[in-house]
């Protein structure tokens, strides 16, 4: 898959569907030549780069006025050598110089892929090949390794960078992006997934033009405001056709995704750790590894682009055992009780849940310390015996005796001032000792850049986990970092704080996974405030949003599906009026939306009527019958709520195309509606299918579609917040 043409000095990464091509330029630096549909071999640099003399440029060589770094598409741009676009790397040397001159030294190619120490990354054995390019700056004695892995059956290339310092001097890394690509033109739409608390990952589309377009985070988490995922697409590209490029960052902290269009209308795309507030001191002989960026490509539309990421993350990022095992249908007590519960109340909810077929009971916030509201107790991971006299051990056993698994909420990175942990270790928090500390949700952030802090939290968590039968953790994180200071870090190392925090977080997640392999983690951060591929590596599912309203969820889940498999999308049925937006939606609509995710409940089943309880039984049975299709099948977006603002449709198809599940949703009803049908995709045109009991041919479903007959005619007044599910089976 990876070749090097020695004569023409060209590296060619291809899986026969796409090609990623770059070269060694005459000054020894790397030039990007092409990224797109496969174009074979026998390529020549001067057929792909037009070296020309232009005004206002500076030239790298005295005797060559056609060779300017500004005009050349580069692969790993540096600062200060005549390229005035933002670079992928910038350092400060001991003498204050920011200049580097990195030249190709050698390269290696091997089967498979190695992990990144201390960082999440994708796996791959036979399915991929890796290229490592070594660049060297002789004056600094600095080696830079660029890693590329290309996958055989997935249109994905992963990239990261490693810096290895030599023996001459220390350097400060001011800026190190994990991937940078110069595109030939900038005629692209930029798609980002942005929002806020309870309005996460809404699709926003804009046209690129001269200057910089960027999104990022400087909050210490990837954040709900912007997801570390970007798509570039041509204007005519839609869900089913056309060219699109994805950029996804396997990282949970401060990030930057940036597109810079220059005066010649070329585009430089880059992604990595946000350089703002990043400054890493690399002593002599030390090395630094950047997190991994995933590049995906499709010439068959956005659904196909998403499938590349869904496949890669399902097969090669999420731990294997969670992809093979069926995920449990869960019930979480948060919206049912908030902080107000005791063992009896919990057991009553659990008993009702068991009777309708729920597999896992999750005890949310409030089980520990003095945690009766959100002002106290965080950090004291010791059970509150007033609420739970038999401890977590006793409660988990009672839940197990009902035939259910037991799960528990933690917010490991936080502390309330009113807690024993804070009393004993006030220095554990992130703060500038000369200033007061800002609070968010009455809490402070623990300094996870310090090993002893992480160790102490692990000790407390492990104590609870060892003495109970917990099989699931909801891992929450409910505020951003403020007063970032890194008290423990020396003056020269202060700029390492944010990244060291994330490394500390990953080390704790790793340790919990390693020592408690039976526990599945679901990540959460006030809902989807840290829904990113970094956490997916440790936690196969994420609480997508605190917003459980079915209509809001249409947008949130649709937006999330662009970059993430629906096996990772935590989605629950909650009570009405909805607790976040006050909307009243039918139970059917709430269920039909939640089915397309990890499915569960967030309400007190005891409050439901007998009729509703029987309905829950049916719904859970239906989910379990279709779980394989939902968890492992192909998900296609059919009708976008972002376009229609009223209708949404999507479909999950099993890998053998014998089964499928379609959801259609309409927000507002109107009289005399236009006629409506949904054209399906992903089925086998040659098969015959039963659709809710009626026979159709595959070709008919994919060309004509299914009529939505509930919509018109006499006595068909369906009201607002309507949904319809189609269960499709091959005959
Ligand atoms: C956050 C989570 C909720 C819930 C509460 C508990 O807001 O997103 O789901 O767990 O914390 O305090």
């Amino acid at each position: 898959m990876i070749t090097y043409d020695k004569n023409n000095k060209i590296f060619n990464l291809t899986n026969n569907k796409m090609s990623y091509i770059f070269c060694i330029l005459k000054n020894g630096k790397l030039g990007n030549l092409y990224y797109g549909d496969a174009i074979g071999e026998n390529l020549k640099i001067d057929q792909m780069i037009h070296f020309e003399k232009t005004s206002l440029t500076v030239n790298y060589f005295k005797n060559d006025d056609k060779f300017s770094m500004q005009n050349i598409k580069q692969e790993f741009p540096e600062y200060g050598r005549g390229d005035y676009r933002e670079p992928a790397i910038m350092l400060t040397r001991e003498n204050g110089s920011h200049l580097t001159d990195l030249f190709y030294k050698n390269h290696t190619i091997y089967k498979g892929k190695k992990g990144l120490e201390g960082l999440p990354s994708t796996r791959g054995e036979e399915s991929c090949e890796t290229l490592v390019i070594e660049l060297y700056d002789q004056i600094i004695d600095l080696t830079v390794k660029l890693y590329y892995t290309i996958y055989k059956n997935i249109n994905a290339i992963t990239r990261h960078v490693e810096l290895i310092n030599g023996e001459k001097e220390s350097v400060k890394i001011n800026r190190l992006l994990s991937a940078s690509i110069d595109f030939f033109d900038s005629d692209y739409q930029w798609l980002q997934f942005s929002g806020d608390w309870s309005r996460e990952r809404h699709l926003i589309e804009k046209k690129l033009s001269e200057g910089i377009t960027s999104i990022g985070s400087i909050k210490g988490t990837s954040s709900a405001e912007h997801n570390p995922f970007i798509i570039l697409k041509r204007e005519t590209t839609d869900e089913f056709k056309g060219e699109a490029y994805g950029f996804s960052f396997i990282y949970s902290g401060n990030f930057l995704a940036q597109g810079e269009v220059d005066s010649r209308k070329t585009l430089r795309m880059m992604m990595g750790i946000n350089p703002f507030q990043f400054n890493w001191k690399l002593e002599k002989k030390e090395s630094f590894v950047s997190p991994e960026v995933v590049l995906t490509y499709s010439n068959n539309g956005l659904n196909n682009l998403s499938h590349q990421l869904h496949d890669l993350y399902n097969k090669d990022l999420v731990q294997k055992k969670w992809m093979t095992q069926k995920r449990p249908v869960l019930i979480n007590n948060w919206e049912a009780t908030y902080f107000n519960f005791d063992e009896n109340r919990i057991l009553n909810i659990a008993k009702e849940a068991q009777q309708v077929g729920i597999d896992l009971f999750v005890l949310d916030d409030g089980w520990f310390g003095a945690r009766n509201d959100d002002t106290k107790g965080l950090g004291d991971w010791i059970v509150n015996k007033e609420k739970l006299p038999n401890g977590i051990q006793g409660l988990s056993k009672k839940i197990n005796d009902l035939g259910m698994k037991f799960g528990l909420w933690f917010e490991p990175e936080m502390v309330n001032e009113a807690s024993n942990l804070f009393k004993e270790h006030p220095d554990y928090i992130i703060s500038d000792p000369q200033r007061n500390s800002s609070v968010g949700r009455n809490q402070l952030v623990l300094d996870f850049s310090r090993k002893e802090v992480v160790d102490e939290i692990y000790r407390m968590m492990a104590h609870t986990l060892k003495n109970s039968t917990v099989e699931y953790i909801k891992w929450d994180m409910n505020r951003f970092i403020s007063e970032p200071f890194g008290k423990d870090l020396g003056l020269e190392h202060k700029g390492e704080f944010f990244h060291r925090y994330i490394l500390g977080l990953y080390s704790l997640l790793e340790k919990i996974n390693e020592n408690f392999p039976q526990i599945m983690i679901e990540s959460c951060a006030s809902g989807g405030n840290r829904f990113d591929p970094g956490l997916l590596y440790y936690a196969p599912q994420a609480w997508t949003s605190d917003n459980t309203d079915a209509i809001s969820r249409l947008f949130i889940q649709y937006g999330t599906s662009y970059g993430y498999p629906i096996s990772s999308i935590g989605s629950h049925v909650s009570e009405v009026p909805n607790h976040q937006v006050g909307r009243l939606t039918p139970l059917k609509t709430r269920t039909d939306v939640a089915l397309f995710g990890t499915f569960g409940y967030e309400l007190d089943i005891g409050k439901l009527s007998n009729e509703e309880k029987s309905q829950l039984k049916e719904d859970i049975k239906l989910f379990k019958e279709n779980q394989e299709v939902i968890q492992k099948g192909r998900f296609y977006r059919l009708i976008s709520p972002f376009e229609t603002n009223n209708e949404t449709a999507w479909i999950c198809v099993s890998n053998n195309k014998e089964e499928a599940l379609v959801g259609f949703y309409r927000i507002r009803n109107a009289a005399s509606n236009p006629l409506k049908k949904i054209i399906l995709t992903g089925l086998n045109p040659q098969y015959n299918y039963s659709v809710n009991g009626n026979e159709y041919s595959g070709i008919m479903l994919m060309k004509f579609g299914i009529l939505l007959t509930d919509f018109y005619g006499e006595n068909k007044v369906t009201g607002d917040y309507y949904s319809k599910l189609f269960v499709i089976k091959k005959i």
Side-chain angles (χ1 to χ4, degrees):
M1 286 190 278
I2 300 175
T3 54
Y4 177 58
D5 172 351
K6 226 177 169 174
N7 296 330
N8 292 300
K9 298 194 170 175
I10 289 180
F11 291 96
N12 194 328
L13 284 68
T14 184
N15 56 11
N16 294 323
K17 283 174 277 159
M18 65 168 184
S19 298
Y20 187 99
I21 296 165
F22 59 96
C23 65
I24 305 170
L25 297 162
K26 83 170 197 185
N27 64 350
K29 297 183 187 289
L30 303 179
N32 186 289
L33 296 178
Y34 175 82
Y35 176 30
D37 267 351
I39 56 169
E41 286 166 12
N42 284 330
L43 305 166
K44 303 219 164 34
I45 294 179
D46 57 9
Q47 293 176 352
M48 302 177 90
I49 301 180
H50 176 51
F51 295 100
E52 58 175 336
K53 180 181 171 191
T54 53
S55 300
L56 280 181
T57 48
V58 297
N59 305 318
Y60 193 85
F61 298 109
K62 282 197 182 99
N63 58 358
D64 185 351
D65 58 8
K66 290 186 177 162
F67 195 94
S68 159
M69 298 314 281
Q70 178 67 24
N71 287 343
I72 294 172
K73 285 167 56 241
Q74 295 183 56
E75 188 59 19
F76 193 63
E78 295 164 72
Y79 173 72
R81 306 306 310 260
D83 176 1
Y84 299 98
R85 296 163 289 181
E86 292 200 351
I89 183 170
M90 193 179 86
L91 311 175
T92 307
R93 294 181 55 201
E94 284 179 0
N95 69 1
S97 167
H98 294 305
L99 300 185
T100 53
D101 231 351
L102 292 161
F103 301 120
Y104 169 84
K105 192 171 171 196
N106 56 42
H107 71 268
T108 44
I109 296 170
Y110 53 85
K111 267 233 145 7
K113 178 175 194 292
K114 294 174 188 150
L116 277 62
E117 216 194 308
L119 285 167
S121 61
T122 61
R123 296 179 300 268
E125 286 125 37
E126 288 305 296
S127 59
C128 61
E129 221 169 84
T130 299
L131 163 69
V132 188
I133 305 257
E134 214 175 298
L135 307 172
Y136 185 63
D137 183 316
Q138 202 180 356
I139 292 181
I140 309 178
D141 188 18
L142 176 81
T143 301
V144 173
K145 288 187 179 176
L146 307 182
Y147 287 80
Y148 298 81
T149 297
I150 180 163
Y151 284 80
K152 205 188 285 171
N153 298 317
I154 302 172
N155 273 353
I157 292 175
T158 60
R159 283 183 64 174
H160 77 275
V161 185
E162 187 182 0
L163 260 53
I164 305 158
N165 200 7
E167 298 188 353
K168 282 194 186 160
E169 59 178 297
S170 66
V171 290
K172 277 206 165 177
I173 312 170
N174 309 130
R175 181 180 176 95
L176 184 67
L177 281 304
S178 300
S180 173
I181 306 178
D182 286 356
F183 286 81
F184 190 85
D185 70 90
S186 54
D187 209 2
Y188 293 101
Q189 306 284 123
W190 161 286
L191 274 54
Q192 66 187 56
F193 300 87
S194 298
D196 201 331
W197 174 78
S198 278
R199 185 170 48 78
E200 296 91 340
R201 289 170 298 286
H202 278 42
L203 170 65
I204 292 171
E205 195 173 323
K206 45 195 167 198
K207 187 158 176 44
L208 287 178
S209 68
E210 283 85 343
I212 288 179
T213 303
S214 76
I215 56 152
S217 166
I218 56 167
K219 296 175 163 163
T221 77
S222 47
S223 96
E225 271 80 350
H226 301 298
N227 196 261
F229 175 54
I230 286 294
I231 297 175
L232 295 180
K233 74 168 192 75
R234 297 295 185 185
E235 197 162 1
T236 52
T237 299
D238 61 23
E239 289 288 5
F240 305 99
K241 61 165 194 340
E243 210 176 18
Y245 298 85
F247 303 82
S248 174
F249 193 31
I250 307 186
Y251 192 61
S252 310
N254 294 350
F255 76 95
L256 175 73
Q258 170 169 310
E260 179 171 0
V261 179
D262 71 0
S263 58
R264 309 297 299 275
K265 300 227 179 192
T266 69
L267 165 65
R268 172 166 296 170
M269 261 308 293
M270 47 177 65
M271 193 174 229
I273 292 180
N274 200 322
F276 181 78
Q277 286 287 12
F278 173 79
N279 209 359
W280 190 281
K281 180 151 189 219
L282 204 60
E283 303 286 358
K284 291 176 196 166
K285 293 193 195 169
E286 275 184 356
S287 57
F288 179 86
V289 178
S290 82
E292 190 167 84
V293 164
V294 178
L295 310 173
T296 43
Y297 173 73
S298 160
N299 202 358
N300 294 305
L302 296 173
N303 270 315
N304 184 265
L305 187 80
S306 296
H307 295 160
Q308 311 309 311
L309 275 175
H310 295 176
D311 284 356
L312 186 71
Y313 289 167
N314 275 338
K315 291 185 186 137
D316 293 309
L317 184 69
V318 165
Q319 288 175 60
K320 275 202 178 97
K321 61 180 170 213
W322 303 130
M323 270 327 286
T324 43
Q325 281 175 29
K326 281 197 175 160
R327 306 281 176 78
V329 174
L330 70 83
I331 185 155
N332 177 305
N333 70 303
W334 179 240
E335 288 196 14
T337 67
Y338 294 106
F339 293 103
N340 183 17
F341 61 81
D342 58 18
E343 191 179 90
N344 272 342
R345 186 140 187 231
I346 292 300
L347 285 174
N348 284 339
I349 298 175
K351 274 178 208 153
E352 297 271 9
Q354 188 276 331
Q355 278 173 18
V356 294
I358 292 176
D359 309 306
L360 163 72
F361 180 89
V362 179
L363 181 59
D364 210 280
D365 195 356
W367 59 267
F368 50 89
R371 187 79 171 164
N372 293 319
D373 55 43
D374 64 18
T375 62
K376 295 186 203 69
L378 272 182
D380 296 340
W381 302 109
I382 296 158
V383 71
N384 176 339
K385 288 261 175 146
E386 272 167 40
K387 282 182 178 170
L388 305 172
N390 299 302
I392 292 298
Q393 192 173 22
L395 177 64
S396 61
K397 179 159 185 321
K398 287 185 186 176
I399 302 263
N400 293 156
D401 289 346
L402 292 173
M404 294 171 84
K405 295 178 175 190
F406 180 74
L408 198 58
W409 182 94
F410 284 96
E411 195 178 354
E413 297 150 77
M414 297 293 159
V415 66
N416 283 124
E417 238 166 311
S419 69
N420 291 330
L421 183 71
F422 186 79
K423 245 177 258 154
E424 280 159 32
H425 300 285
D427 63 307
Y428 271 15
I429 59 162
I430 296 171
S431 70
D432 176 342
Q434 295 186 340
R435 318 233 170 235
N436 69 318
S437 295
S438 310
V439 287
R441 206 194 185 199
N442 306 303
Q443 63 201 49
L444 300 159
V445 190
L446 292 170
D447 189 346
F448 267 34
S449 72
R450 291 167 60 186
K451 187 167 179 308
E452 69 269 37
V453 178
V454 174
D455 286 349
E456 174 58 12
I457 299 300
Y458 174 77
R459 195 191 57 74
M460 281 193 269
M461 290 177 79
H463 178 78
T464 303
L465 300 176
K466 269 183 207 147
N467 294 312
S468 62
T469 55
V470 173
E471 288 178 77
Y472 163 108
I473 288 176
K474 180 175 173 187
W475 187 299
D476 214 335
M477 199 288 188
N478 284 314
R479 62 154 290 188
F480 299 124
I481 290 173
S482 60
E483 293 82 35
F485 182 56
K487 293 193 286 273
D488 249 30
L489 298 169
L491 194 56
E492 295 278 306
H493 296 273
K494 294 283 185 222
E496 298 167 17
F497 168 73
F498 275 110
H499 184 56
R500 286 195 184 275
Y501 177 92
I502 294 295
L503 293 178
L505 166 68
Y506 288 155
S507 73
L508 183 59
L509 283 155
E510 182 82 48
K511 213 161 160 185
I512 298 280
N513 273 337
E514 227 172 71
N515 294 338
F516 301 95
Q518 75 283 9
I519 295 179
M520 180 179 81
I521 304 177
E522 174 156 346
S523 75
C524 173
S526 296
N529 203 8
R530 200 164 60 179
F531 197 125
D532 57 58
L535 275 175
L536 270 194
Y537 176 85
Y538 305 98
Q541 52 193 58
W543 183 226
T544 312
S545 176
D546 272 353
N547 191 338
T548 54
D549 166 56
I551 302 308
S552 311
R553 276 294 185 127
L554 289 173
F555 293 84
I556 295 168
Q557 292 177 205
Y558 201 94
T560 306
S561 79
Y562 281 91
Y564 303 89
I566 64 166
S567 60
S568 66
I569 296 182
S571 50
H572 301 167
V573 175
S574 62
E575 68 175 29
V576 287
N578 172 268
H579 292 201
Q580 292 75 40
V581 298
R583 192 176 276 127
L584 278 152
T585 50
L587 177 60
K588 174 163 171 45
T589 305
R590 282 174 275 151
T591 309
D592 289 353
V593 175
L595 280 172
F596 291 83
T598 62
F599 201 56
Y601 290 83
E602 188 112 1
L603 44 70
D604 186 347
I605 298 180
K607 286 193 195 158
L608 301 181
S609 66
N610 286 338
E611 199 188 324
E612 285 171 321
K613 286 183 199 168
S614 326
Q615 187 58 50
L616 256 56
K617 245 190 211 165
E618 293 291 307
D619 296 339
I620 292 165
K621 193 164 150 265
L622 179 97
F623 174 75
K624 290 187 175 174
E625 282 164 6
N626 290 280
Q627 186 164 10
E628 188 83 10
V629 182
I630 296 167
Q631 192 179 317
K632 297 184 194 162
R634 269 266 169 270
F635 177 81
Y636 296 85
R637 294 173 297 270
L638 299 174
I639 301 173
S640 170
F642 297 106
E643 272 171 32
T644 63
N645 217 2
N646 199 33
E647 285 166 0
T648 304
W650 49 44
I651 181 174
C652 266
V653 185
S654 66
N655 293 322
N656 61 11
K657 300 180 189 262
E658 292 186 359
E659 291 171 68
L661 197 67
V662 179
F664 173 84
Y665 315 86
R666 189 189 53 201
I667 301 173
R668 291 171 308 279
N669 198 8
S672 306
N673 271 313
L675 304 187
K676 188 84 214 164
K677 58 180 181 154
I678 327 172
I679 297 171
L680 303 186
T681 193
L683 300 168
N684 185 330
Q686 262 128 42
Y687 288 174
N688 284 323
Y689 292 98
S690 137
V691 180
N692 291 356
N694 298 312
E695 191 176 332
Y696 288 77
S697 70
I699 185 92
M700 154 93 181
L701 291 171
M702 293 170 73
K703 295 292 173 192
F704 179 85
I706 338 176
L707 285 177
L708 281 158
T709 51
D710 293 359
F711 267 29
Y712 39 86
E714 284 165 41
N715 305 321
K716 296 284 166 83
V717 181
T718 54
D720 291 344
Y721 316 135
Y722 165 87
S723 76
K724 176 106 186 172
L725 207 65
F726 295 97
V727 182
I728 302 182
K729 306 260 178 230
K730 183 188 170 212
I731 300 173

